[in-house]
């Protein structure tokens, strides 16, 4: 099959443009309540907001909720009915928050309408046909949410991506069991499956848009999300494993990746398509068409400066600002101060998104500001334990070296780090104390998370920061973006305020071992 032809699916009838407007939509949720998960609170206390992008950890405004009014109509033991008003100013992809999030489509044709959504709990399977247990959409596709949403006929297209998940899993969170790791790094088999998944999704898309009369603008957005998810799947082994695998890609696939360059400065895609930003970062960092470098090869000054020069030549406006902010995060994590400052000097806040500006200024405070907390002040910091008792930091510590994981339930990148963090916590259980410090504004969200026992780990101490991100700990360390990993001594001395991510296992262990030898 010629997959270049799939990429050239006729789109001439889909006129697209970015138009700013101020709209709102009411969503009435009728929710099946599971008493084992929701004992005290409204389900909407910890999920069912709408955000621009559940997966973006560079633009801090992307995960900011759009709800402006909420009315709880009924809250009975087995059922809850809630009416929420959301405001939005663009069309395209959004997410209803529910673990990994329900990706939805909104446009101005919905402005002022009330949309009735019925939510039922995802049904767990004791065992599917492959012998796996857990929550599943069907026998083979695992669920990445607590709820299944039934969308009304008029707005069936709003839930297009939930419907699409039934054939190969969630676009963002998998579920179809075709990841490069799951396939034991067999690149030929992986690429074959990626092509099949893409072809199946395009076929489903073609049938769906006509059956449910999806508006033209949203047709374009839905197709582009599928297309950029395909690009992301192609880029993933190169970025996360070995860039030299590019030589094993068929010429048609290499051409597909090179074609990403045609959309590098597309403001519409940047604003409205969730996968666009990760593909922008992967494509630009790897240096498609040149000497490729993966994330597994620890970036040095030379490569980052090379990518800075590339950005100055090939990128502009919001896309340039976004990529430079992403590079600044790498430079900050690796303590490359001069490289960070070179990136910062080239960054133009006037042409970048406000949420990206916040991240950049936070990183600048980390690298160039005063992020020191006197040891006694650190020991006297007051947090909240899982029993809602206030405790001083020195009452909690029990090891000479303490790793503080700054996270929140709504933070997807934080949750992505949890499996690696859990493994490290168990491995270093005798020598390092791991503390997960929640920055949730609503303590009920943290309660619900602990109650659900998601990724529970007996080797990690759970604490909550009263006042959330406004807590003195976060303010004194200029923490405006998470996840963030802080290393502290038993005496309250800050050892490292920009630890590598747990998924960067080798770098994380190397930094940890420095302080365990003393």
């Amino acid at each position: 099959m010629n997959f270049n032809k799939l990429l050239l699916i006729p789109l001439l009838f889909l006129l697209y443009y970015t138009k700013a407007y101020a709209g709102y939509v009411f969503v009435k949720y009728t929710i099946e309540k599971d008493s084992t998960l929701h004992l005290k609170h409204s389900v909407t206390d910890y999920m069912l907001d709408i955000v621009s992008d559940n997966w973006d950890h560079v633009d801090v405004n992307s995960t900011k909720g759009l709800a402006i009014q909420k009315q709880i109509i009924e809250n009975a033991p087995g059922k809850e009915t809630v009416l929420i008003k959301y405001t939005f100013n663009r069309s395209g992809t959004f997410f209803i928050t529910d673990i990994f999030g329900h990706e939805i489509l909104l446009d101005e044709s919905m402005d002022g309408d009330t949309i009735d959504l019925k939510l039922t709990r995802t049904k767990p399977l004791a065992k599917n046909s492959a012998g796996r247990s857990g929550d599943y959409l069907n026998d083979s596709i695992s669920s990445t949410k607590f709820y299944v949403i039934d969308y009304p006929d008029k707005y069936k297209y709003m839930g297009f991506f939930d419907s699409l998940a039934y054939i190969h899993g969630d676009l963002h969170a998998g579920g179809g069991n075709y990841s490069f790791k799951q396939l034991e790094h067999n690149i030929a088999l992986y690429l074959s499956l990626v092509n099949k998944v893409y072809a199946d999704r395009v076929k489903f898309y073609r049938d769906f848009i006509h059956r449910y009369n999806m508006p033209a603008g949203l047709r374009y957005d839905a197709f582009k999300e599928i297309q950029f998810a395909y690009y992301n799947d192609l880029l993933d082994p190169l970025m996360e494993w070995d860039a030299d695998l590019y030589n094993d890609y068929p010429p048609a696939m290499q051409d597909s990746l090179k074609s990403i360059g045609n959309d590098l400065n597309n403001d519409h895609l940047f604003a409205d398509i969730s996968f666009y930003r990760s593909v922008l970062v992967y494509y630009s960092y790897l240096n498609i068409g040149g000497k490729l470098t993966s994330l597994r090869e620890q970036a040095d000054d030379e490569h980052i400066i090379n990518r800075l020069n590339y950005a100055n030549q090939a990128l502009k406006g919001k896309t340039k600002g976004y990529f430079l902010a992403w590079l600044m995060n790498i430079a900050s994590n690796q303590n490359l101060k001069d490289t960070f400052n070179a990136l910062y000097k080239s960054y133009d806040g006037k042409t970048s998104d406000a949420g990206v500006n916040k991240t950049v200024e936070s990183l600048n405070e980390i690298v160039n500001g005063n992020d020191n907390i006197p040891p006694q002040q650190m020991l006297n910091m007051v947090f909240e334990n899982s029993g809602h008792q206030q405790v001083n930091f020195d009452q909690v510590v029990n090891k000479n070296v303490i790793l503080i994981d700054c996270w929140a339930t709504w933070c997807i990148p934080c949750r992505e780090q949890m499996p690696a963090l859990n493994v490290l916590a168990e491995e270093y259980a005798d020598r390092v104390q791991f503390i997960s410090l929640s920055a949730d504004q609503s303590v009920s969200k943290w309660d619900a998370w602990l109650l659900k026992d998601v990724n529970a780990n007996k080797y990690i101490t759970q604490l909550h920061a009263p006042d959330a991100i406004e807590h003195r700990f976060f303010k004194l360390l200029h923490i405006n973006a998470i996840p963030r990993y802080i290393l502290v001594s038993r005496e309250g001395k800050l050892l490292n305020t920009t630890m590598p991510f747990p998924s960067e296992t080798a770098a994380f262990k190397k930094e940890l071992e420095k302080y365990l030898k003393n």
Side-chain angles (χ1 to χ4, degrees):
M1 182 180 293
N2 188 334
F3 286 91
N4 275 345
K5 289 183 179 179
L6 280 177
L7 292 176
L8 295 175
I9 182 174
L11 292 169
L12 294 178
F13 66 98
L14 300 181
L15 178 64
Y16 69 93
Y17 54 92
T18 299
K19 182 172 72 172
Y21 57 91
Y24 67 90
V25 64
F26 290 96
V27 178
K28 182 181 178 183
Y29 297 98
T30 302
I31 307 160
E32 174 191 79
K33 294 190 69 173
D34 183 337
S35 60
T36 63
L37 296 180
H38 316 301
L39 297 180
K40 303 175 183 177
H41 309 289
S42 166
V43 172
T44 58
D45 284 344
Y46 52 90
M47 61 177 67
L48 304 186
D49 206 336
I50 292 179
V51 299
S52 286
D53 191 340
N54 220 26
W55 296 85
D56 191 337
H57 62 279
V58 176
D59 183 349
V60 296
N61 286 346
S62 290
T63 53
K64 183 178 179 181
L66 303 179
I68 57 174
Q69 290 179 354
K70 177 172 75 173
Q71 178 187 1
I72 298 177
I73 300 170
E74 177 185 11
N75 193 358
K79 177 184 175 184
E80 181 173 356
T81 305
V82 184
L83 182 66
I84 302 180
K85 181 180 179 180
Y86 303 97
T87 182
F88 63 104
N89 61 6
R90 64 169 180 84
S91 63
T93 63
F94 294 81
F95 290 82
I96 297 176
T97 58
D98 172 7
I99 308 301
F100 289 107
H102 298 266
E103 187 168 11
I104 59 172
L105 291 165
L106 297 178
D107 78 344
E108 60 186 327
S109 69
M110 301 173 175
D111 188 12
D113 255 3
T114 298
I115 303 174
D116 290 301
L117 301 183
K118 293 180 173 58
L119 279 66
T120 54
R121 274 287 284 128
T122 306
K123 304 303 181 187
L125 293 179
K127 269 187 182 178
N128 70 349
S129 58
R132 298 187 180 94
S133 60
D135 288 353
Y136 279 79
L137 294 175
N138 55 32
D139 184 65
S140 60
I141 305 298
S142 60
S143 173
T144 58
K145 295 103 176 171
F146 281 127
Y147 289 101
V148 174
I149 299 180
D150 181 21
Y151 297 86
D153 290 342
K154 180 180 178 182
Y155 291 121
K156 213 72 168 179
Y157 57 81
M158 177 184 181
F160 166 73
F161 294 107
D162 274 1
S163 298
L164 182 65
Y166 280 86
I167 57 172
H168 287 294
D170 191 309
L171 274 180
H172 289 267
N177 301 317
Y178 66 92
S179 77
F180 188 51
K181 183 178 180 179
Q182 286 172 307
L183 296 176
E184 299 180 345
H185 307 132
N186 183 328
I187 191 63
L189 177 58
Y190 174 78
L191 294 177
S192 174
L193 283 173
V194 166
N195 270 346
K196 177 179 177 358
V197 168
Y198 178 61
D200 289 347
R201 284 173 172 166
V202 170
K203 181 179 184 300
F204 180 90
Y205 160 84
R206 286 170 170 161
D207 294 340
F208 187 99
I209 61 174
H210 296 297
R211 184 182 308 155
Y212 296 109
N213 198 28
M214 185 184 290
L218 291 183
R219 291 185 186 192
Y220 178 82
D221 291 339
F223 176 76
K224 279 298 183 181
E225 185 74 338
I226 293 172
Q227 184 185 54
F228 274 79
Y230 170 68
Y231 290 151
N232 191 82
D233 285 345
L234 291 181
L235 290 166
D236 187 68
L238 309 178
M239 189 70 164
E240 303 293 344
W241 294 93
D242 185 357
D244 289 340
L245 289 170
Y246 182 76
N247 297 321
D248 297 327
Y249 281 46
M253 286 189 178
Q254 293 185 4
D255 290 342
S256 293
L257 291 180
K258 290 175 184 176
S259 72
I260 296 170
N262 299 328
D263 281 322
L264 281 182
N265 295 299
N266 189 316
D267 286 343
H268 173 85
L269 297 180
F270 183 87
D272 294 355
I273 305 301
S274 173
F275 264 108
Y276 178 81
R277 298 183 183 197
S278 63
V279 169
L280 161 72
V281 165
Y282 277 19
Y283 175 90
S284 300
Y285 185 82
L286 278 165
N287 191 23
I288 297 294
K291 181 183 178 182
L292 274 64
T293 301
S294 75
L295 266 183
R296 289 178 74 88
E297 306 167 56
Q298 187 165 345
D300 55 18
D301 296 276
E302 181 180 357
H303 181 67
I304 296 177
I305 294 299
N306 176 277
R307 295 297 80 205
L308 167 60
N309 293 334
Y310 159 83
N312 285 334
Q313 294 173 7
L315 304 179
K316 61 183 180 181
K318 294 180 179 181
T319 54
K320 178 182 176 181
Y322 190 90
F323 181 55
L324 291 185
W326 188 84
L327 288 176
M328 279 186 245
N329 190 55
I330 292 178
S332 170
N333 285 340
Q334 297 183 16
N335 296 313
L336 303 175
K337 185 172 182 178
D338 290 342
T339 301
F340 176 91
N341 287 332
L343 293 164
Y344 186 76
K345 185 177 179 180
S346 291
Y347 181 81
D348 185 356
K350 294 178 182 178
T351 59
S352 298
D353 274 350
V356 180
N357 287 343
K358 289 179 183 179
T359 298
V360 167
E361 291 310 316
S362 175
L363 290 170
N364 187 48
E365 288 287 349
I366 293 168
V367 174
N368 294 305
N370 178 14
D371 60 0
N372 190 36
I373 301 175
Q376 192 57 49
Q377 191 174 349
M378 181 67 226
L379 293 174
N380 292 338
M381 285 281 177
V382 178
F383 300 108
E384 188 178 24
N385 64 20
S386 57
H388 297 291
Q389 298 170 317
Q390 289 195 340
V391 291
N392 286 359
F393 187 70
D394 64 353
Q395 295 176 288
V396 177
V397 297
N398 57 33
K399 298 285 190 304
N400 290 330
V401 176
I402 300 97
L403 188 284
I404 303 175
D405 157 36
C406 303
W407 78 294
T409 59
W410 46 261
C411 172
I412 295 293
C414 301
R415 298 205 298 258
E416 288 178 328
Q417 293 297 321
M418 283 181 176
L421 184 71
N422 291 342
V423 171
L424 289 163
E426 183 173 359
E427 181 177 344
Y428 285 91
D430 295 334
R431 296 187 290 165
V432 179
Q433 181 180 9
F434 283 70
I435 295 176
S436 283
L437 179 61
S438 166
D440 280 291
Q441 189 170 15
S442 171
V443 71
S444 64
K445 294 185 179 181
W446 182 58
D447 282 343
W449 183 270
L450 297 181
L451 184 64
K452 293 190 291 280
D453 217 23
V454 176
N455 287 332
N457 190 299
K458 63 182 180 180
Y459 301 103
I460 298 179
T461 302
Q462 301 291 339
L463 295 178
H464 177 258
D467 302 321
I469 207 72
E470 298 298 318
H471 188 278
R472 288 176 64 247
F473 176 77
F474 295 113
K475 299 300 281 185
L476 289 172
L477 288 175
H478 310 290
I479 299 175
N480 295 322
I482 51 177
R484 179 92 170 269
Y485 302 91
I486 313 292
L487 204 62
V488 186
S489 75
R490 189 173 199 144
E491 293 74 30
K493 181 181 178 182
L494 296 176
L495 304 176
N496 188 326
T497 60
T498 56
M499 283 286 288
F501 281 9
S503 59
E504 300 167 344
T505 307
F508 187 96
K509 287 185 175 182
K510 182 179 179 181
E511 192 62 27
L512 204 56
E513 293 290 346
K514 288 181 185 178
Y515 301 97
L516 294 176
K517 294 176 181 178
N518 297 335

